[in-house]
Amino acid sequence: MNRQQAQDLIASILEIPHDGELQVTLNGVERLGTRFNDCAVSQNVLRQQATLTLGARLGQKKTSMTINALDAPDLIRQSVARVFETCRHMPDDEEVMPAPGQVLDSHEFAYSETAEAIEIETVGAWAAEACKAGAAAAIDLAGLLSVGKMFTAYGDSAGGFAHERHHRCDYHVTASGDHGSGWAEHQGVSIAAADVVTATERAIDKCARAQNPEVFEPRSTTVILEPQAVGDLMAMAFFYGFDQRARDEGRSAFSDNDRPLGRLSFYSDPADSAFPAVSFNGDGQPLAKSTWLDQGRLQQLTTSRYWASKQGIDVKPSPNNIILSGDGVPLEQLIAGTEDGILVTRFWYIRSTDAKTLGFTGMTRDGTYRIENGKLTHPVVDMRWNESVLRLLNNVAGSGAPVATGEFIAMAMPALRVEDFHFTSLSN
Amino acid sequence: MFDLLKLACDKAAQAGCQFADARFLSIQKQRVVSRDHALSSCSDSEDRGFGVRVLCRGAWGFASSPTYTAAEIEKVVALALRIARASALAPRADGVKWAPEPALKLEYKSACRQDPFAVALEDKADLLIAANEVMLRNSAVMRAQGFLSFKRVQRWYANTEGAEMHSDVTSSESAIWAIAVGNGDFQERNWKAPATTQGFESYRKAEFLEQAERVADEAEQKLTAKLAPEGYFDIVTDSENLSLTIHESVGHATELDRVMGYEVSMAGSSFVSRDKMGEFRYGSDQVTLVADNTLENGLATQGFDDDGVPGQRWEIVRDGIFQTYSTGREFAHYIGEERSRGSCRADHWSSIPIVRIPNLFLMPGKAPLSPDELIADVRHGLYFEGMDSFSIDQWRLNFQFGGNAVWEIKNGRKAGMLKAALYQSRTPTFWNACDATCDASHWQAHGVTNCGKGDPMQIAQMTHGAAPTRFRNIRICRGRDS
C-alpha cells in the first residue's frame, strides 16, 4: 500500500464518528518463504497479511483492537464502536498519553527496489541452486530463504500521519556433515543471487572445517565471536537492561551503576547503512539516532513519553534496530592476533540467568574452532557458556566492522575478540 | 463453511494434486495487563482467513488469504499450485509418503463454562488490580503486574480425501508477579494460574489474593537470599519447574521432523535417533512419559490436528525406555508406523502445519509419596519451584534450567531461599538420575503457550504435567558471579 492509499484509508477510518481520540495503525506483509532440508524444498509458503489496529483514548483510559480486514468498511465501523465501548470500561491510568499528532516525512530507509522485484519463482530458483551446491559437495543443506515486502502506516485524530514501505530479506543456511556442521547467513533489506551463493559457500566451508571436533575442556578463555553471536547476545541484553525507567526504579543492571562498559558505542539509527529500519514506531513517534553507550559510557536509555514527562527528560522511543560500533579489524586479523582461544560462529538459545548483572547462558553452534598461535587448528565440541554482558563489554580486546545480522530484530554487529569468556560445559 | 473449503480441495484435485487440504480459522484474542493500581493495556483482536496446502508431483505448495470468497479460493489454489511448481525445482528424492487416514467427519468443542470474552472488563480489572494491591502492600515491592489472556480458535478443515472437521477451542492463561527492590538487588517472583482450555470459571479471586501475598513475600525474601552453592547436589523439582524440563528435553527431542533434519537450520535436530526406538534407556524405571492429545483441558487437545488426524494417547517413554515419537502424516513412514500420531499443528491460517509437542506428562509414582517425604530423603540439596532461565542445545542434550524460587534443602527440610541457582545436566543423565516422583494426588498440569518452532517461527501451545520429583547428584551452578 503506497502513501496515498494509506492516507486515504486512515482518513476514512478517522472520519467514523467517535468520542475521544483515535489512533490507526496499518501493517501489511507479503512474505515469500522457501524452506529446505536435505538439499530439497520442504516448505514453500506465500504469506499475505494485513492488520488494522485501532487505539481508542478517552481521557486517561486507553484500549486497542486489531482486525485483519482492511477492505471491510462495515467491520471497521463496528470495530471503532467496539474499541471505544471497551475503553469506557477501562479504569483510569495516569500513564496514558495523548497521541503524538505529528506528520512525519517518509524516509523509507529500509525500502529496496531489488527486493520488491523478487518473485516466488526467483526465491524457489535460488533455493534450488543452494540445494544443488550442497548436493555437489555431498553435504546436507538446510535453510530458509525469505523475502518480506511490507508497509507500515500510522494516523491519529490529532493530525498525525506516517507511512513507509520496507523490506526484510533473510537467508540462513546450515551445512551438515557426518560429524559437524557449519552455518552462514545473509540479512538485510535486499538480497541477490550472489548473496545466496556466498552464504551457501561459507556454510559449506565452515562445515568442512567442523568435522570431527575435539574436546576443549570448558574454562575461561579468549573468544572471537562472529557477528551473529554478538548480535544475539546484545539483543537480549538490550531487551533486559536498556530501559531508563527500570534503571531509575532500581530494576536494572544499570541502577546505581555508571561504570564504563568498554569503549564501543551501542546505538540505534533507522538510517544506518548496514541495516536500516522504519523511521517511526507503532505509536507514530519519529525515531532518530539514539546512542545507548557512547564509547562505553552509559547514556539515557529507552524512555517512554510518560516517563520522560514525569522525569523531565527527553523521550527515547524503543528502536527498530540496534548497532554496535567496531574498529573494523578483519576477522582474519582478529584470529591472527589470538594466541590461544576459540572462534564462535553462532550462539543458540540464549537466556537470562541474572538480570542484575545482565548474566546470560547459551550454547555455541554450527562452527566452533580452536585458535592456536593465530590460526584455526581444529574444530571443537560445542559448549555452554555463562557470561555477564557487563563483564563481556569490558573484556573486548578487538573488534571488526558492523555487518547486518539478526533474524528477529535488525542489527549491525561487529565480530568481537573477548578475553576471559566463561565456557562451563560440553554439548554433544 | 465447508463449501468453500471443499471447492479448494476440488480445484486442487482437478489440477492433479495427490493431496490437498484447506483450513479456515477464526481467531479471537484478548489480553488484559495490569501495572500496579491500573490496567496498562487491554488489547482485543479478531483474525480470520484460510490456507490451502497442495501436494503436487511430490512437492508442497501453500498459500493463504483473509478474504473468504469463491473467487479468492480459486486465486489462492492457483497460487499454491504455482508455489508447488517452484518447490519442485528442488524435489525430495524419495517424494512425500503421506500416511493414510480415514476421511472422518469430526466436531470438537472445549469445555469452557464461562466465556471469558463475555466477562465484563471491570471484573478482569478487579481480579488483577486487587492482586497487585496485595503485592504492593509489601514495602519491598516496587512493581506489581499481572495479565489475563484469552484465545478462542474456531477451525474448519477439509481435504481431498473427504474429511470434514470443525473445532472450537477456548484457552485461558493468567499470571501475576512482583518485583522487589532492596539490599542492592532486585528480584522477581511470580505465580501462574495453569493455562488450560477452560474459561473464566477457572479463576478465583480468593486464590489470586492468597498467591499475591505469598509472591510478594517470597520476592522480598529473594533479595536477601544467599547465592546458590556450586557442585553436585540432589534436587527436587515442583511440577511447574519439571513441566518445562519435560518440554525441552523430551517433548522437542522426540519430534520426528527434528530427528529427520527438517528443523536443522533453526530449532536443531535431536540426539534421539531412530535406532533408539524401543531400546534406549532415556531415564530410570521411575520415568514414564505419556503423550495425550485427548487430555482433558490440555492445550493441545483440539479434537484433530492440522493433517486431519484425531487426537491420540501414546507412550513416549515407558519405565525409562524410549518408545516412539510425535509425528505427522508426512513423517510416520520414517519409523515404519502406518498412522500419524496426530501431532501436526499450525499456529495460524497463514502457517503451514509442522510436528508439534503434544500434551506430555510424567506419570506420577505408583506408591504413596508426598512432597515432604520426597524432600525428607535429601541430606543437602535444592528445591526448584516455577520456571526461570531455560536453555538447551540443538540436540536437546546439554541443558541448564533455573527456578523462579529455589530453596536449600538441609537434613530433609526446606531451609532458606537461594539466589541464581541453575541445574545443568544432559538429558539421559538427568532422567536416569530420577529416583522418585510423588503420587497422583500431587500431580499437576501446567500449560505452555509460547512454544516456538519452525522457520519462520510458529508459536504453539500444549500442556505438561508432573508431580514433585527427585533427581540425585545433579550439577548446580550459578547465574551470578559471587
Side-chain angles (χ1 to χ4, degrees), chain A residues 35 37 41 44 47 66 68 82 89 121 172 249 349 351-352 354 365 384 386 424 426-427, chain B residues 44 46-48 82 87 90 92 122 143 248 263-264 266 351 389-391 393 398 426 455 480:
Chain A
R35 194 178 191 201
N37 78 292
V41 170
N44 209 350
R47 181 178 279 191
T66 300
N68 71 328
R82 192 169 142 192
H89 296 275
E121 286 78 5
H172 54 265
E249 292 182 341
Y349 220 133
R351 287 293 181 275
S352 169
D354 183 42
R365 179 174 172 179
R384 173 169 299 286
N386 288 335
T424 58
L426 288 169
S427 183
Chain B
D44 286 280
E46 288 186 359
D47 186 359
R48 297 184 184 90
R82 189 178 151 201
S87 302
R92 201 157 288 282
E122 287 86 346
R143 170 87 352 98
E248 300 288 2
E263 292 290 329
V264 160
M266 182 62 189
S351 299
S389 179
F390 52 97
S391 171
D393 71 17
N398 178 315
R426 289 161 63 85
D455 201 2
R480 178 185 292 191

Side-chain angles (χ1 to χ4, degrees), chain A residues 112-373:
Chain A
S112 162
E113 292 286 356
T114 306
E116 184 66 22
I118 294 174
E119 299 279 349
I120 295 167
E121 286 78 5
T122 314
V123 173
W126 289 350
E129 284 302 311
C131 289
K132 280 182 198 163
I139 276 175
D140 284 350
L141 279 189
L144 174 77
L145 175 53
S146 162
V147 175
K149 306 173 182 181
M150 295 162 281
F151 72 89
T152 302
Y154 169 88
D156 59 47
S157 53
F161 179 75
H163 168 272
E164 285 187 7
R165 296 167 299 165
H166 47 110
H167 290 91
R168 186 68 197 270
C169 300
D170 168 14
Y171 177 60
H172 54 265
V173 57
T174 303
S176 302
D178 290 339
H179 303 287
S181 56
W183 178 89
E185 69 174 343
H186 170 88
Q187 300 287 344
V189 298
S190 186
I191 191 166
D195 299 318
V196 176
V197 171
T198 301
T200 305
E201 288 175 348
R202 184 169 161 78
I204 291 172
D205 176 60
K206 285 250 181 195
C207 174
R209 289 189 285 119
Q211 298 305 302
N212 303 309
E214 298 175 15
V215 168
F216 175 84
E217 213 50 54
R219 56 179 164 80
S220 294
T221 191
T222 300
V223 289
I224 295 176
L225 307 178
E226 292 200 27
Q228 189 276 351
V230 176
D232 267 18
L233 185 54
M234 290 306 294
M236 292 292 278
F238 188 78
F239 174 77
Y240 273 92
F242 284 72
D243 178 73
Q244 185 64 37
R245 181 175 186 177
R247 181 187 185 190
D248 293 341
E249 292 182 341
R251 301 183 285 113
S252 158
F254 300 119
S255 300
D256 306 318
N257 178 5
D258 286 329
R259 288 190 295 275
L261 296 172
R263 54 178 192 77
L264 296 181
S265 292
F266 188 39
Y267 59 96
S268 299
D269 183 0
D272 180 73
S273 58
F275 209 151
V278 174
S279 68
F280 59 92
N281 71 3
D283 203 22
Q285 298 172 76
L287 298 175
K289 181 173 180 177
S290 292
T291 300
W292 318 113
L293 290 172
D294 183 8
Q295 297 180 62
R297 291 187 305 276
L298 202 63
Q299 307 295 302
Q300 185 186 326
L301 305 177
T302 60
T303 310
S304 69
R305 289 192 295 143
Y306 165 75
W307 196 246
S309 68
K310 189 173 171 82
Q311 300 292 91
I313 55 179
D314 292 340
V315 176
K316 295 259 187 180
S318 292
N320 288 335
N321 63 358
I322 51 174
I323 299 121
L324 186 66
S325 69
D327 295 331
V329 180
L331 182 65
E332 295 71 22
Q333 278 185 36
L334 290 174
I335 295 169
T338 302
E339 192 176 327
D340 185 2
I342 298 292
L343 172 67
V344 175
T345 297
R346 182 185 179 195
F347 280 158
W348 165 247
Y349 220 133
I350 299 174
R351 287 293 181 275
S352 169
T353 58
D354 183 42
K356 177 66 181 170
T357 57
L358 280 185
F360 294 92
T361 190
M363 303 296 306
T364 66
R365 179 174 172 179
D366 300 326
T368 309
Y369 309 93
R370 182 78 189 271
I371 306 168
E372 292 171 300
N373 299 316

Side-chain angles (χ1 to χ4, degrees), chain B residues 64-354:
Chain B
S64 59
S65 170
T67 307
Y68 197 55
T69 62
E72 188 73 0
I73 287 276
E74 296 207 23
K75 194 172 132 191
V76 167
V77 170
L79 200 48
L81 292 167
R82 189 178 151 201
I83 293 168
R85 283 193 289 276
S87 302
L89 294 171
R92 201 157 288 282
D94 55 351
V96 173
K97 293 176 184 161
W98 194 239
E101 190 66 27
L104 299 177
K105 292 186 169 39
L106 281 181
E107 181 75 29
Y108 178 79
K109 192 172 193 316
S110 65
C112 168
R113 292 202 307 276
Q114 188 179 10
D115 177 6
F117 297 98
V119 172
L121 183 56
E122 287 86 346
D123 292 344
K124 295 165 183 167
D126 179 53
L127 185 69
L128 292 174
I129 293 172
N132 284 359
E133 285 172 348
V134 169
M135 290 189 275
L136 289 167
R137 286 207 300 253
N138 185 316
S139 60
V141 173
M142 155 64 65
R143 170 87 352 98
Q145 289 178 280
F147 75 85
L148 288 160
S149 185
F150 308 107
K151 181 164 74 168
R152 182 182 182 192
V153 179
Q154 296 179 80
R155 182 176 52 136
W156 288 262
Y157 173 90
N159 65 27
T160 45
E161 296 160 340
E164 288 179 28
M165 302 177 176
H166 172 241
S167 64
D168 184 350
V169 175
T170 298
S171 50
S172 306
E173 182 184 16
S174 182
I176 56 171
W177 62 100
I179 300 171
V181 176
N183 195 36
D185 201 356
F186 62 95
Q187 291 288 336
E188 181 264 355
R189 179 73 173 116
N190 65 45
W191 172 70
K192 295 172 183 165
T196 69
T197 55
Q198 292 172 290
F200 203 77
E201 72 276 7
S202 56
Y203 300 132
R204 291 183 303 107
K205 187 173 177 182
E207 185 177 23
F208 272 66
L209 301 185
E210 185 183 321
Q211 295 292 350
E213 188 157 355
R214 182 180 64 86
V215 160
D217 180 50
E218 291 177 359
E220 183 184 14
Q221 286 181 48
K222 282 176 78 173
L223 293 172
T224 52
K226 65 179 183 180
L227 276 176
E230 292 186 289
Y232 285 80
F233 297 88
D234 296 342
I235 70 166
V236 174
T237 59
D238 83 332
S239 56
E240 183 184 344
N241 183 276
L242 194 59
S243 287
L244 189 59
T245 310
I246 291 168
H247 179 93
E248 300 288 2
S249 69
V250 183
H252 280 308
T254 55
E255 294 166 326
L256 187 54
D257 60 340
R258 292 180 65 112
V259 176
M260 299 311 301
Y262 281 64
E263 292 290 329
V264 160
S265 69
M266 182 62 189
S269 59
S270 171
F271 77 97
V272 190
S273 50
R274 286 178 290 170
D275 59 336
K276 292 183 169 61
M277 282 179 75
E279 295 182 4
F280 178 65
R281 180 155 282 285
Y282 212 105
S284 71
D285 56 11
Q286 301 289 317
V287 176
T288 292
L289 290 146
V290 173
D292 187 355
N293 283 340
T294 67
L295 179 73
E296 187 178 11
N297 301 326
L299 292 173
T301 304
Q302 298 175 3
F304 56 93
D305 75 353
D306 290 322
D307 281 349
V309 181
Q312 298 163 43
R313 177 186 168 106
W314 68 101
E315 288 177 329
I316 287 185
V317 175
R318 183 197 306 145
D319 299 331
I321 305 299
F322 172 60
Q323 302 297 310
T324 192
Y325 299 92
S326 301
T327 64
R329 293 178 71 177
E330 186 173 353
F331 298 95
H333 76 92
Y334 286 121
I335 50 171
E337 293 189 353
E338 291 186 358
R339 191 184 185 207
S340 161
R341 297 285 173 178
S343 208
C344 204
R345 309 193 293 277
D347 70 346
H348 195 255
W349 49 265
S350 66
S351 299
I352 200 160
I354 56 176

